[in-house]
Amino acid sequence: MTHDVSATAVESAITSPFLRACRGLEPAHTPVWFMRQAGRSLPEYLAIREGVPMLESCFRTDMVVEITMQPVRRHGVDAAIFFSDIVVPLKAIGIDLDIVPGTGPVVADPIRSADQLSTLRDLEPDDVTSITDAVKGLVQELGETPLIGFAGAPFTLASYLVEGGPSRDHRRTKELMYRDPELWHALLGRIAAIASQFLRLQVEAGASAIQLFDSWAGALSPVDYDTYVRPHSAAVLESVADLDVPRIHFGVGTGELLSRMGEAGADVVGVDWRVPLDEAIGRVGNRAVQGNLDPTVLFAPTDVVHERAARIIDAGRAAHGHVFNLGHGVLPATDPDALTRLVDFVHGYQPES
């Protein structure tokens, strides 16, 4: 199957500030979008989600389209991030899991032995028809605003599957990694195939870029990342290389891994707030960067928010390309108007020459 490129998508690829920055081209203004912009900080999101479980909402085409569009309408961001969750492809292939409010993903039967690997079958297009239909609908509604598809990276998904839910220390995950490397690599290989299939389906349905979220990779030392994780993340990023869309790779607490995450095959490396952006730029080489305002800064007075944002934009001028974002997701208690003001500031900011 080939990527269906509409005339609008071609025009967007040429003019979109977000896509231009991702590719190291000069954008008309610094592009900005926010991780978790489609979600909990918006009253319209809370209204549409009322009484609907998280995973159910991710498989309802109409809700996915509406929730993804909400921050684009409200904030005027330069890209939409597809409303979903990193465990959706696992749910789609039949893994017994749920997203428990206040806890996160919980897996009924954690995977800790070789005979359980058979539950991780390939993801087929029919498993996610409602989701790819949502992508197609969004591309029509978004017009020239690019849509970012995404997937969870193999290590982060493996951690949920092995631990059975969120973990502070990833003890069971690392224990399996060290005790049975053969099973570990087989597990991550299966997850990488599923993540690759999920990303491919999103791009073939019209997504203009992808982001691979390795939320828990910051728990790893560089040598463990190289040995046990990077080959599998690289396989996922390589799987969509032929589709010629920008590939963003993001993790939390991954300052010591930034160069490695770029070398795994990213065009854009996402940076959390713990590393100054100018330092991060030095670590990622000739790649674009994304980030990296601390999400809690949005609770500060507006002049403080703008001063911090200006500092990040100025630092970003030294990068191969810079997409302004937070260093992690929008916090639920964030004032939506603070996000709108920040978008307006980033779009209008002119660095001192």
Side-chain angles (χ1 to χ4, degrees), residues 135-201:
V135 174
K136 293 171 185 174
L138 277 163
V139 170
Q140 293 299 314
E141 192 156 342
L142 284 164
E144 292 185 13
T145 301
L147 176 66
I148 305 167
F150 74 89
F155 176 77
T156 292
L157 291 179
S159 180
Y160 284 121
L161 287 171
V162 174
E163 302 284 344
S167 170
R168 289 185 181 275
D169 56 17
H170 308 279
R171 179 185 66 80
R172 290 183 181 275
T173 309
K174 291 184 177 183
E175 179 189 348
L176 175 63
M177 190 170 80
Y178 299 136
R179 174 175 50 80
D180 194 341
E182 185 177 351
L183 174 56
W184 173 261
H185 287 296
L187 172 61
L188 263 69
R190 290 302 312 136
I191 298 171
I194 294 161
S196 299
Q197 291 149 2
F198 192 47
L199 288 176
R200 235 189 140 75
L201 288 168

Side-chain angles (χ1 to χ4, degrees), residues 5-20:
V5 182
S6 67
T8 303
V10 171
E11 180 66 21
S12 173
I14 297 169
T15 62
S16 159
F18 166 74
L19 293 175
R20 289 184 67 83

Side-chain angles (χ1 to χ4, degrees), residues 33-306:
W33 69 278
F34 304 113
M35 288 179 279
R36 292 190 186 147
Q37 65 187 14
R40 301 168 294 177
S41 67
L42 300 182
E44 55 266 42
Y45 168 80
L46 298 174
I48 194 173
R49 272 286 319 281
E50 189 172 2
V52 182
M54 175 63 184
L55 276 174
E56 181 183 331
S57 68
C58 293
F59 284 89
R60 284 177 48 174
T61 301
D62 57 335
M63 289 188 73
V64 172
V65 171
E66 172 58 23
I67 292 169
T68 303
M69 289 300 303
Q70 286 174 350
V72 180
R73 296 190 200 110
R74 182 188 270 264
H75 304 312
V77 285
D78 294 285
I81 180 74
F82 187 67
F83 174 72
S84 189
D85 189 273
I86 61 171
V87 299
V88 159
L90 300 179
K91 182 72 172 180
I93 63 169
I95 299 296
D96 186 358
L97 60 82
D98 195 13
I99 298 175
V100 178
T103 300
V106 175
V107 179
D109 187 19
I111 295 179
R112 295 170 188 164
S113 63
D115 59 2
Q116 294 174 288
L117 289 181
S118 60
T119 60
L120 295 171
R121 65 169 177 83
D122 281 350
L123 180 75
E124 303 291 345
D126 288 349
D127 296 324
V128 289
T129 303
S130 63
I131 292 168
T132 49
D133 284 349
V135 174
K136 293 171 185 174
L138 277 163
V139 170
Q140 293 299 314
E141 192 156 342
L142 284 164
E144 292 185 13
T145 301
L147 176 66
I148 305 167
F150 74 89
F155 176 77
T156 292
L157 291 179
S159 180
Y160 284 121
L161 287 171
V162 174
E163 302 284 344
S167 170
R168 289 185 181 275
D169 56 17
H170 308 279
R171 179 185 66 80
R172 290 183 181 275
T173 309
K174 291 184 177 183
E175 179 189 348
L176 175 63
M177 190 170 80
Y178 299 136
R179 174 175 50 80
D180 194 341
E182 185 177 351
L183 174 56
W184 173 261
H185 287 296
L187 172 61
L188 263 69
R190 290 302 312 136
I191 298 171
I194 294 161
S196 299
Q197 291 149 2
F198 192 47
L199 288 176
R200 235 189 140 75
L201 288 168
Q202 291 175 72
V203 176
E204 287 171 345
S208 299
I210 62 96
Q211 177 156 312
L212 190 64
F213 282 89
D214 212 349
S215 308
W216 305 133
L220 297 162
S221 68
V223 68
D224 283 349
Y225 181 80
D226 284 344
T227 305
Y228 298 107
V229 175
R230 185 164 77 169
H232 302 287
S233 294
V236 178
L237 292 166
E238 175 61 28
S239 75
V240 292
D242 63 303
L243 297 177
D244 194 32
V245 297
R247 296 163 294 172
I248 309 166
H249 199 9
F250 172 76
V252 183
T254 50
E256 297 303 320
L257 304 178
L258 288 175
S259 64
R260 292 165 163 83
M261 292 178 74
E263 290 160 6
D267 304 300
V268 185
V269 178
V271 183
D272 81 2
W273 70 92
R274 296 170 179 86
V275 181
L277 195 64
D278 55 354
E279 290 187 27
I281 290 165
R283 296 179 191 183
V284 304
N286 193 32
R287 294 180 175 86
V289 293
Q290 178 177 278
N292 67 337
L293 185 72
D294 185 334
T296 60
V297 170
L298 286 160
F299 295 86
T302 300
D303 61 336
V304 175
V305 178
H306 291 176

